[in-house]
Amino acid sequence: MEKKVLVLNLDHSPVGIVNVQKALVLTLLEKAAPLANFDYLTIRTVDRNFAYPAVIRLHEYKNIPYKGVMLNRNNLYKRDQHACQYCGAEKSLTLDHVVPRSKGGKTSWKNLVTACHRCNTLKGDKTPEQAGMKLKILPFRPTLAYFLAEYAERHAEEWLPFLAAKTVG
Ligand SMILES: [Zn+2]
């Protein structure tokens, strides 16, 4: 799999992810400079080899409107590590309103969790307290840096030092 490149703003806040071709173009045009490379990878062209960037930083501050993480099924599953937040099951997953909609529970990051069908049915139209069920974590609204750190742990450890301070938000 081709490695992606993390792009940081001038102030080191993460801006997003680009493919390596785009990262090289930004570097060659001197719009960005590499901060870290994937040391075990190289980019070969006909007559030269390039270091394979892992993290680049833009030379100019880009004013980027805050891009929240979209509230949707996939991102909720991702936040919850694809596991039921009551029993830890990783199969037959659905979404659960912690405070049921019938009791005024909102459709929001803080009131939605991943649950297996079994727990979802057991819980029914009750709150976790009423159903005697305990959540593994309190649901939270993830930041872009949180998702990037998740990705980095699996695919790009080189990014982690640049995300560490920014994973709580
Ligand atoms: Zn469950």
Side-chain angles (χ1 to χ4, degrees):
M1 193 181 89
E2 186 191 274
K3 293 279 185 190
K4 298 285 187 193
V5 182
L6 174 65
V7 183
L8 302 180
N9 215 335
L10 189 62
D11 66 356
H12 287 250
S13 59
V15 173
I17 305 177
V18 294
N19 63 31
V20 68
Q21 288 83 0
K22 171 93 181 172
L24 283 180
V25 169
L26 288 170
T27 307
L28 291 171
L29 295 177
E30 299 192 340
K31 289 186 186 294
L35 292 185
N37 295 320
F38 292 110
D39 288 331
Y40 51 95
L41 295 174
T42 7
I43 298 153
R44 286 170 220 285
T45 63
V46 184
D47 54 355
R48 14 183 330 202
N49 290 341
F50 294 91
Y52 196 118
V55 181
I56 61 173
R57 187 177 70 134
L58 299 171
H59 284 317
E60 266 176 45
Y61 186 78
K62 273 222 193 294
N63 211 339
I64 294 161
Y66 174 73
K67 271 192 286 171
V69 179
M70 281 251 293
L71 177 68
N72 61 37
R73 179 174 296 266
N74 268 336
N75 285 339
L76 277 155
Y77 284 175
K78 231 200 257 181
R79 181 199 67 186
D80 294 342
Q81 327 273 325
H82 296 267
C84 172
Q85 295 302 293
Y86 297 104
C87 76
E90 292 176 0
K91 278 190 183 147
S92 120
L93 297 177
T94 183
L95 292 177
D96 176 58
H97 281 79
V98 178
V99 175
R101 265 181 295 194
S102 62
K103 296 188 163 56
K106 291 197 185 114
T107 297
S108 69
W109 283 108
K110 295 197 167 161
N111 194 49
L112 280 168
V113 292
T114 306
C116 69
H117 277 288
R118 191 173 151 270
C119 289
N120 192 239
T121 309
L122 267 173
K123 184 167 167 283
D125 206 20
K126 302 187 198 108
T127 65
E129 295 77 36
Q130 289 168 342
M133 294 165 78
K134 212 169 145 23
L135 280 168
K136 291 186 182 295
I137 53 150
L138 274 185
F140 61 97
R141 182 166 169 256
T143 58
L144 176 62
Y146 174 86
F147 275 171
L148 292 174
E150 280 285 293
Y151 175 88
E153 275 174 21
R154 278 173 292 131
H155 304 293
E157 287 185 349
E158 288 78 357
W159 297 3
L160 287 173
F162 301 92
L163 295 169
K166 321 222 176 237
T167 50
V168 184

